[in-house]
Amino acid sequence: MALKRNVGLKGMKYRGGGPMLAWALHRISGLAMVLFVGMHIVASFVMQQFGSDWATNLNIIYESTYFQLIIIFLVYFHAINGMRIILLDFWPKLLEYQREATWLQWMLLIPMYGLTAMVMMLIKLGGE
Amino acid sequence: MSSRPAPQIGFSFEYMMWIFTRLSGLAMFLLSFIGFAGAFWLGARMYLTNNSFVDIGALARWTFFPNPNHVVNTNIPDVAVGWANAWWQIMQITILFLGTTHGMNGLRVVIEDYIDRSWLRTLLRGLIFLLWIFVMLFGIYVIQAS
Amino acid sequence: MNNYHQFDVVVVGAGGAGLMAALYASKTASTAVLSKLYPTRSHTGTAQGGVGAALGNIEEDHPEWHTFDTVKGSDYLGDQDAIEFMCYEAVQAVYELEHYGLPFSRTADGRIAQRPFGGHTNNVTGKPVSRACYAADRTGHMILQTLYQQCLKNNVNFFDEYQVVDVLIENGAAAGVIAIELASGEMHVFHAKAVIFATGGHGRIWEITSNAYSFTGDGPAIVMRRGVPLEDMEFFQFHPTGIYRLGILITEGVRGEGGVLINDKGERFMEKYAPTVKDLASRDVVSRAMYLEMREGRGIGGKRYLYLDMRPETVNKYAALDGRKRPDGSPYVVTGEELLAKLPDIVDFARTYLGVDPVTQMMPVQPTAHYAMGGIPTNKYGEVVIDEKNTVMPGLYAAGECACVSVHGANRLGTNSLLDLIVFGKHAGLRAAEYSQGADFQKLPADPTEFARQQFEAIRNSDGDEKAYVIGNEMKSVMFDEVGVFRTEQGMNLALEKVRELRERLKRVRRPDPGKIFNTEVINIWELGNLLELAEVTTISALARTESRGGHAREDYPKRDDANWLKHTLAWWDHGQVRLGYKPVVITKYQPKERVY
Amino acid sequence: MQVKLKIFRYNPEVDKKPHYDKYEVEADPTDRVLDLLEYVKGNFDGTLSFRRSCAHGICGSDAMRINGRNRLACKMLVKELGTDKILVEPILGLPVIKDLIVDMEPFFANYRSVLPYLINDEPPPKKERLQSIEERERFDDTTKCILCACCTTSCPSYWANEQYVGPAAIVAAHRFIFDSRDRAGAERLRILNDQFGVYRCHTIFNCTEACPREIQVTKAIGEVKRAIATGKIE
Ligand SMILES: Cc1cc2nc3c(=O)[nH]c(=O)nc-3n(C[C@H](O)[C@H](O)[C@H](O)COP(=O)(O)OP(=O)(O)OC[C@H]3O[C@@H](n4cnc5c(N)ncnc54)[C@H](O)[C@@H]3O)c2cc1C
Ligand code: HEM
Ligand code: SF4
Ligand code: F3S
Ligand code: FES
């Protein structure tokens, strides 16, 4: 018998390059944001309503520097990458320059995020 | 030579969500700029004048979700007032609506990438819809109550 | 029976000829198409330059000129009634393809674009004429895709990856075919009133070839084993410009757009051999000229290749020297971008396989085995004829490269093959459908698969130490050296001996893959058997013909000999022995003349 | 040079599970990967099975995963791989029948679903239908497709769900939607405006990167999306 069509995680070994990585990150970041924002809203609601400990603790974790570092990366990435996708969708002609677009996107993201992270770490280390 | 019949825009669900995802993405981008500017105007610039670094974590939170809670939790005194008006509440609710709808639809898209047309799809769509309603309601409550 | 199918018409092969036949047959008869490859993998898809038809979209042209050029190109061996038929049908056939959706390149006024090709001339001035209708350098690809799409639209029954291995002939008429379903290894019986063979050529006999791995001459070999003769097998075309060592074709369209051949001294040597049309002489002439140049040590660096130069500066230089004009009378000048737009795939091939950019560098080329003029003898309706008197075998048809109508005679003109496919494919389809309306199914023998099964059992049970891969390579190299562009009696005798030895050795190949599912090894051995038999027929037919004509150039008989050899060869396969016979050439309007370009 | 070939093997008649076989062969830098496979089949193991025909990248038979990317074996030269280790595996997302041969039927079924043929019921003129050079140029890119499946089987969305029509089918639709002689563009757009149509494409670009004919696949998909979004074929 023929082997069943079975891609599963094996697919991620495909050497798709930059745009494929961008897609995977976009997906992960989108889902992560749904999760965290959802959680945060629910927790804030519970906190306000019932003042329960676990919700407060959750929000404290949520607002901790390390957590914020991750979240901000995801937000920045998702926003910039999302912008690239939107532009390409509205002007298909630009799709010929997708390679350049992907580079450009990282060139925007890395300094932006680097600066943010640096400042956040300095504040953290500065003990504020 | 007669010409091609023009296609009708077929307003399928998938089509509308696709458009919505792009438009809401753009809108969130725009709103985040407004939020960012607002954050500066109302408080963040105080840090600069204090010769200190901006707390970018807080700034980002204000930007996307200019909620007095977020502001109160920081060590800037007396700026929470600035956020406590109808304009910022409408801003928050708009962002909340766009964000959750965009995000929940994204969740749906991801899930449906991996499933076929079936009863399962209907079920999951129902669940995500409920989740969307709940998160929206909680969110609006939080905004209103603070 | 699961493996039994019944159709009015069965088409073997899904290239241009097969699909065209199927499209027409399926209009009135239940039709099945069997193909060993997915239809879109057929070799028609590789054809580059164009399809010939005297549309006259660029400049004055007439089907009558086309007829004469083809007769002359064939070195007067083509049957003139069939050639005339084809050239007059051509115009409508090309319009029909356009209506099917074929995306031809266009002229400024929106008509089908045309370009010059070797051997096509303005009969008044003798200068090259733009007759090849093209879609960039992907004409065959577009024809194949378009026809396949139309077949899908018309719900033709496809049996993809079914390799036909035998034809059933009962009471002197076709009764069906036997095919192996590659995916399961099972044999299937296709019971049919009419069978159309369109299996393409057999260029894999030669070492340097432009032909696909699948061009193993299955159709001719199958019918030959069942007693049908093959016609004019000694005529095989060597195309002047194959990529050095690989044989991949560089279309004649390159020279049509102004490219020239250059030898080691930097000379455009074709001026010496064909003073009027130069690089656009017919293919046999150019290939021979290249061999002569290389023999005299003017191959590049003394090696066995020459340069094909299509750099804009070269093109413009020689176009100016020739006084070439555009249709509007302005001098012919090209730019790199223009060439790139007209020949994108060629540029891609050169970059991929040679690492050469043809817009700035020259391409190393050598003659490459290209096209089988010979094949299954038919009349102009695609009906297979089986003897010197052109007796028709009921229910058996052939079209495309595997058939010999004969419109190409001793040498095919570029663009006439695609034309052959669509014209004779169509008529074979129409005839077969018409015949199947009035005929009954022949009764099948008790064990229809017996003959085919025997052949395959012999291969499966073989238990020697020979490698089919090695045998194949030995055949290719001896055939290319001895039965190639130039031939001698001595060399061909050597080749014949070798081929016979190889046929014996093929019986002792090491035990192949014992499996059933996609057993490509057993199939490849069977195909090699076909090639060896066809190589033998080719060599024997060539040995007998003591003259030079078209693609058959003998050093020991360098002249054309109309008194003795203005006739078609027929070769029968009698229990492993080849028997030859001859039939006259049909001559209507054009008496044989000396052929100069 | 000496190269190390590692080839995916699966013979349904004897193997329960696929495995990899290794071969060392002497290769010329200008050899095609296909030449190496032929060499292995001819000299070491005749059971090795793969499809091939034209050997110069125009028939679309031999799409396979070479060093992790979809390529035509006959268009991939050894020197371009930049390494002496060559890993050859079947394309993803279609059932493997034997070794490198996959079942192409689901792929062709998707192709057939988008009406990949010219539809125009108006009686044709006696000669050709006219089409300007610009109108012809509009869909030139997508006429080049050879249905090799490199694109569709490199697409993570297609891996996820075989009901997605896939880039190759959209390319085929594009070729007719933008042909000025065709009249059924609206119908095709309706077919693609569906859960398993263009909206399963997330602009991942693997398809464009894999296409051996250098078709701007993602761009074609983008143009179809835009035609649906704007209700205009332009
Ligand atoms: C590189 C190249 C460039 C060319 N350029 C031009 C050109 O510019 N102009 C021109 O006029 N001509 C050109 N030709 C010639 C022309 O393309 C071919 O002669 C023509 O395409 C042959 O078409 P066909 O339909 O006879 O065979 P094909 O298209 O090869 O089809 C053969 C079919 O038969 C099937 N088949 C074979 N054996 C079996 C079997 N045993 N069982 C079942 N099915 C079988 C195959 O699967 C295939 O579908 C070119 C040829 C080559 C090689
Ligand atoms: C500036 C803000 C944002 C922009 C520009 C943006 C843009 C986009 C775009 C264009 C897509 C579609 C991707 C595709 O079709 O492949 C998308 C998907 C998605 N977005 Fe956003 N987005 C933004 C903010 C958010 C936020 C705040 C969330 C979470 C709450 C979110 C969650 C998602 C999810 C889950 C997906 C689906 C991912 C996928 O299909 O792979 N996005 N976003
Ligand atoms: S679009 Fe490119 S990759 Fe996809 S099937 Fe066509 S030729 Fe192959
Ligand atoms: S890889 Fe797939 S997701 Fe779209 S851009 Fe290509 S079809
Ligand atoms: S063999 Fe034809 S594409 Fe590779």
Side-chain angles (χ1 to χ4, degrees):
Chain A
M1 266 314 293
L3 280 183
K4 282 233 179 52
R5 165 195 153 79
N6 177 11
V7 185
L9 284 178
K10 258 186 288 173
M12 289 325 276
K13 282 203 324 213
Y14 187 89
R15 298 208 356 229
M20 181 173 162
L21 180 75
W23 161 75
L25 275 176
H26 192 83
R27 182 152 276 201
I28 293 168
S29 60
L31 290 178
M33 287 190 312
V34 171
L35 191 71
F36 297 146
V37 172
M39 257 168 41
H40 182 58
I41 291 176
V42 175
S44 304
F45 173 77
V46 174
M47 207 169 74
Q48 277 184 8
Q49 263 324 80
F50 312 108
S52 96
D53 277 354
W54 66 262
T56 315
N57 287 337
L58 202 68
N59 269 349
I60 288 173
I61 297 180
Y62 188 83
E63 287 175 14
S64 76
T65 305
Y66 295 114
F67 203 83
Q68 291 283 319
L69 271 178
I70 300 174
I71 275 282
I72 285 184
F73 177 77
L74 297 180
V75 172
Y76 278 16
F77 179 83
H78 192 95
I80 291 179
N81 192 55
M83 212 54 203
R84 174 182 66 102
I85 294 175
I86 294 171
L87 287 177
L88 296 182
D89 273 334
F90 288 167
W91 289 280
K93 236 190 149 21
L94 295 178
L95 286 164
E96 283 171 30
Y97 306 100
Q98 55 97 6
R99 226 162 251 288
E100 290 78 356
T102 317
W103 280 115
L104 192 73
Q105 163 188 350
W106 285 104
M107 270 151 54
L108 272 174
L109 182 70
I110 291 173
M112 262 176 72
Y113 182 66
L115 208 70
T116 311
M118 207 175 70
V119 171
M120 282 171 72
M121 284 315 287
L122 283 177
I123 292 172
K124 171 87 185 154
L125 297 177
E128 256 187 278
Chain B
M1 221 172 87
S2 78
S3 64
R4 286 174 280 184
Q8 299 284 309
I9 302 182
F11 286 98
S12 71
F13 175 63
E14 208 74 37
Y15 163 75
M16 302 217 287
M17 289 326 285
W18 186 81
I19 296 279
F20 176 79
T21 303
R22 322 280 122 177
L23 292 183
S24 60
L26 277 180
M28 281 189 287
F29 224 95
L30 202 72
L31 291 179
S32 73
F33 278 122
I34 298 176
F36 186 76
F40 250 83
W41 176 247
L42 289 170
R45 82 197 134 85
M46 310 264 262
Y47 273 149
L48 295 178
T49 49
N50 282 357
N51 258 346
S52 163
F53 289 111
V54 182
D55 179 351
I56 294 197
L59 184 64
R61 268 175 282 140
W62 303 340
T63 298
F64 277 103
F65 215 46
N67 181 324
N69 274 340
H70 287 152
V71 184
V72 165
N73 285 352
T74 63
N75 51 2
I76 313 169
D78 296 331
V79 290
V81 212
W83 270 272
N85 60 32
W87 159 254
W88 286 113
Q89 284 199 351
I90 293 171
M91 276 289 292
Q92 287 172 55
I93 293 176
T94 317
I95 282 214
L96 174 76
F97 169 78
L98 292 175
T100 26
T101 316
H102 176 105
M104 287 296 166
N105 177 62
L107 183 65
R108 177 192 70 85
V109 169
V110 175
I111 289 175
E112 287 181 10
D113 268 356
Y114 296 92
I115 59 168
D116 297 341
R117 262 177 246 269
S118 65
W119 57 270
L120 191 64
R121 190 186 78 165
T122 321
L123 182 78
L124 287 169
R125 276 192 183 177
L127 283 178
I128 292 172
F129 182 74
L130 286 180
L131 205 60
W132 175 64
I133 296 286
F134 272 110
V135 173
M136 288 271 284
L137 287 181
F138 286 155
I140 291 172
Y141 181 87
V142 171
I143 294 168
Q144 289 300 327
S146 49
Chain C
M1 245 198 312
N2 240 346
N3 295 353
Y4 172 84
H5 315 261
Q6 206 180 47
F7 290 95
D8 289 342
V9 179
V10 163
V11 182
V12 185
L19 293 176
M20 200 72 183
L23 203 51
Y24 277 90
S26 65
K27 289 189 174 157
T28 51
S30 74
T31 305
V33 182
L34 277 58
S35 173
K36 67 176 176 181
L37 307 168
Y38 272 103
T40 55
R41 317 284 184 233
S42 301
H43 210 30
T44 300
T46 65
Q48 301 164 350
V51 46
L55 305 184
N57 280 355
I58 305 279
E59 52 191 314
E60 183 186 3
D61 198 6
H62 305 283
E64 198 185 337
W65 293 357
H66 191 180
T67 309
F68 173 74
D69 288 338
T70 307
V71 171
K72 179 178 170 193
S74 80
D75 223 346
Y76 296 92
L77 194 72
D79 288 331
Q80 296 181 7
D81 56 339
I83 294 177
E84 190 164 350
F85 178 73
M86 176 176 82
C87 295
Y88 279 80
E89 290 265 304
V91 177
Q92 209 45 50
V94 166
Y95 287 143
E96 212 168 315
L97 285 178
E98 199 280 334
H99 296 158
Y100 282 152
L102 197 140
F104 281 109
S105 295
R106 298 289 169 156
T107 62
D109 53 354
R111 305 204 162 270
I112 296 172
Q114 295 183 286
R115 63 158 65 113
F117 239 73
H120 293 281
T121 61
N122 177 316
N123 283 190
V124 180
T125 62
K127 285 259 158 60
V129 70
S130 299
R131 188 177 289 148
C133 312
Y134 67 92
D137 50 0
R138 313 188 177 106
T139 317
H141 166 77
M142 303 298 186
I143 291 185
L144 186 65
Q145 298 284 335
T146 304
L147 291 176
Y148 181 58
Q149 290 156 357
Q150 288 298 315
C151 284
L152 289 180
K153 188 177 178 189
N154 290 302
N155 293 317
V156 173
N157 300 296
F158 280 103
F159 290 85
D160 297 334
E161 303 196 317
Y162 276 65
Q163 181 133 5
V164 171
V165 293
D166 190 19
V167 57
L168 301 172
I169 292 175
E170 294 297 316
N171 308 317
V177 296
I178 306 296
I180 295 181
E181 179 185 12
L182 297 178
S184 68
E186 300 280 337
M187 273 198 189
H188 289 243
V189 180
F190 287 83
H191 196 183
K193 292 178 187 167
V195 175
I196 305 176
F197 274 90
T199 56
H202 49 264
R204 278 277 149 184
I205 291 178
W206 286 271
E207 183 180 354
I208 306 292
T209 177
S210 69
N211 284 187
Y213 278 107
S214 61
F215 255 24
T216 53
D218 299 1
I222 289 168
V223 298
M224 178 174 82
R225 287 191 197 113
R226 289 296 196 167
V228 174
L230 299 185
E231 184 176 339
D232 289 345
M233 288 296 282
E234 63 271 40
F235 294 104
F236 199 90
Q237 179 168 77
F238 289 81
H239 193 291
T241 53
I243 289 181
Y244 178 49
R245 284 178 57 231
L246 293 173
I248 297 169
L249 193 78
I250 302 291
T251 176
E252 202 165 292
V254 168
R255 282 169 288 139
E257 302 293 350
V260 292
L261 287 160
I262 301 283
N263 66 15
D264 197 33
K265 292 181 151 164
E267 298 163 338
R268 181 199 198 182
F269 56 87
M270 278 312 295
E271 282 169 341
K272 285 185 287 189
Y273 300 91
T276 320
V277 294
K278 305 186 180 113
D279 293 273
L280 282 173
S282 109
R283 290 176 182 173
D284 54 334
V285 177
V286 183
S287 288
R288 276 197 297 277
M290 291 172 72
Y291 256 74
L292 293 174
E293 285 293 307
M294 295 192 283
R295 190 174 295 175
E296 279 159 36
R298 291 197 287 273
I300 306 301
K303 293 222 196 75
R304 292 177 68 79
Y305 66 89
L306 294 155
Y307 279 137
L308 176 60
D309 190 347
M310 61 173 255
R311 297 174 299 179
E313 58 268 29
T314 318
V315 169
N316 294 337
K317 175 177 142 201
Y318 286 107
L321 281 176
D322 291 352
R324 185 169 172 184
K325 295 265 190 295
R326 290 200 184 272
D328 61 8
S330 61
Y332 184 85
V333 180
V334 295
T335 60
E337 292 89 73
E338 229 173 300
L339 291 175
L340 206 70
K342 283 187 169 162
L343 301 160
D345 278 3
I346 297 304
V347 174
D348 181 48
F349 292 153
R351 285 184 184 151
T352 308
Y353 297 107
L354 292 168
V356 157
D357 186 341
V359 180
T360 55
Q361 288 162 292
M362 299 189 276
M363 294 176 272
V365 293
Q366 84 188 109
T368 180
H370 185 55
Y371 183 85
M373 270 79 74
I376 308 168
T378 71
N379 60 23
K380 68 183 180 193
Y381 303 112
E383 296 165 329
V384 173
V385 294
I386 51 171
D387 58 19
E388 291 92 336
K389 294 192 288 294
N390 287 329
T391 312
V392 169
M393 175 179 274
L396 192 61
Y397 300 79
E401 190 169 340
C402 70
C404 177
V405 182
S406 137
V407 284
H408 308 307
N411 170 61
R412 170 177 75 90
L413 288 192
T415 76
N416 270 357
S417 169
L418 291 176
L419 182 57
D420 168 354
L421 308 182
I422 55 177
V423 170
F424 296 108
K426 169 176 165 181
H427 284 281
L430 286 172
R431 273 290 157 123
E434 195 182 309
Y435 167 81
S436 73
Q437 304 299 298
D440 280 328
F441 284 99
Q442 299 292 333
K443 205 166 154 301
L444 289 184
D447 183 1
T449 60
E450 187 187 3
F451 186 57
R453 238 181 27 242
Q454 278 170 1
Q455 295 174 35
F456 278 88
E457 265 159 27
I459 297 174
R460 283 177 180 280
N461 294 332
S462 154
D463 204 1
D465 47 12
E466 295 283 352
K467 288 181 185 167
Y469 182 77
V470 175
I471 296 177
N473 286 346
E474 287 184 27
M475 166 188 73
K476 289 174 191 162
S477 85
V478 73
M479 289 298 286
F480 195 72
D481 291 344
E482 308 298 349
V483 199
V485 174
F486 279 108
R487 301 163 173 184
T488 62
E489 171 152 4
Q490 199 190 5
M492 285 193 284
N493 274 325
L494 201 94
L496 183 60
E497 213 171 295
K498 182 81 186 177
V499 167
R500 285 185 171 148
E501 173 206 316
L502 293 173
R503 277 215 296 131
E504 280 311 307
R505 278 166 58 191
L506 190 66
K507 294 181 183 148
R508 299 192 305 272
V509 287
R510 63 178 187 193
R511 167 144 293 177
D513 184 351
K516 294 193 81 176
I517 296 175
F518 269 104
N519 191 330
T520 49
E521 181 169 32
V522 166
I523 294 282
N524 289 353
I525 295 173
W526 180 78
E527 289 174 340
L528 180 55
N530 297 342
L531 287 176
L532 281 166
E533 286 177 18
L534 296 179
E536 185 164 337
V537 172
T538 302
T539 314
I540 291 176
S541 303
L543 267 168
R545 189 175 280 271
T546 49
E547 64 157 350
S548 289
R549 183 187 295 273
H552 174 67
R554 289 193 58 161
E555 292 191 81
D556 36 4
Y557 300 93
K559 285 258 162 339
R560 194 172 85 193
D561 177 1
D562 287 336
N564 294 307
W565 288 105
L566 191 57
K567 58 188 179 185
H568 295 293
T569 309
L570 292 175
W572 282 266
W573 187 257
D574 263 347
H575 302 96
Q577 293 294 316
V578 177
R579 175 167 62 81
L580 297 181
Y582 293 92
K583 70 176 185 184
V585 174
V586 180
I587 292 178
T588 55
K589 288 194 191 143
Y590 308 103
Q591 287 306 314
K593 282 193 293 205
E594 211 202 329
R595 194 162 149 255
V596 280
Y597 281 102
Chain D
M1 65 191 269
Q2 193 82 2
V3 295
K4 297 185 190 65
L5 267 175
K6 189 170 155 197
I7 305 177
F8 177 98
R9 302 299 307 270
Y10 172 71
N11 181 345
E13 287 164 275
V14 290
D15 300 336
K16 283 218 170 56
K17 281 203 318 211
H19 58 99
Y20 289 83
D21 276 349
K22 289 187 182 154
Y23 306 94
E24 295 216 359
V25 293
E26 190 50 41
D28 217 55
T30 57
D31 274 347
R32 299 162 272 202
V33 173
L34 181 64
D35 298 328
L36 304 186
L37 294 177
E38 282 288 333
Y39 186 82
V40 168
K41 184 177 176 69
N43 289 293
F44 302 143
D45 186 351
T47 64
L48 176 64
S49 305
F50 48 91
R51 293 189 179 102
R52 88 280 187 262
S53 180
C54 70
H56 64 284
I58 198 80
C59 75
S61 301
D62 55 348
M64 47 189 84
R65 222 164 0 128
I66 299 171
N67 284 359
R69 288 200 178 110
N70 283 2
R71 291 287 181 263
L72 296 176
C74 62
K75 244 193 144 177
M76 195 74 230
L77 304 192
V78 171
K79 63 173 181 207
E80 276 166 30
L81 286 166
T83 157
D84 61 349
K85 292 199 192 61
I86 306 180
L87 172 65
V88 185
E89 297 163 289
I91 45 181
L92 287 163
L94 293 166
V96 176
I97 299 179
K98 183 182 181 190
D99 296 343
L100 304 169
I101 297 180
V102 298
D103 181 2
M104 297 287 285
E105 185 43 36
F107 173 80
F108 280 104
N110 286 350
Y111 169 70
R112 290 191 297 264
S113 73
V114 298
L115 315 178
Y117 32 76
L118 191 89
I119 299 177
N120 186 338
D121 295 331
E122 298 155 20
K126 265 181 71 166
K127 294 187 167 183
E128 67 267 59
R129 290 193 168 106
L130 297 181
Q131 184 170 51
S132 71
I133 292 175
E134 296 73 39
E135 285 169 332
R136 168 66 179 74
E137 187 57 30
R138 181 67 192 86
F139 63 101
D140 183 63
D141 202 33
T142 41
T143 61
K144 298 187 302 201
C145 173
I146 54 176
L147 297 173
C148 65
C150 276
C151 54
T152 297
T153 60
S154 74
C155 173
S157 275
Y158 184 72
W159 301 336
N161 198 327
E162 65 185 318
Q163 289 187 23
Y164 169 37
V165 292
I170 303 175
V171 161
H174 179 281
R175 180 245 170 278
F176 289 101
I177 292 170
F178 292 93
D179 187 335
S180 61
R181 300 168 296 171
D182 186 83
R183 295 288 174 268
E187 176 67 10
R188 290 189 197 91
L189 291 179
R190 199 185 51 70
I191 294 173
L192 291 172
N193 182 0
D194 174 88
Q195 192 200 342
F196 295 107
V198 289
Y199 300 117
R200 288 272 79 80
C201 169
H202 303 297
T203 40
I204 302 172
F205 280 105
N206 279 2
C207 51
T208 307
E209 198 272 332
C211 179
R213 304 286 290 153
E214 288 167 24
I215 298 173
Q216 291 289 337
V217 182
T218 313
K219 182 177 168 214
I221 299 173
E223 288 173 350
V224 172
K225 282 179 185 162
R226 201 166 83 145
I228 295 176
T230 58
K232 282 210 268 303
I233 298 174
E234 55 197 11

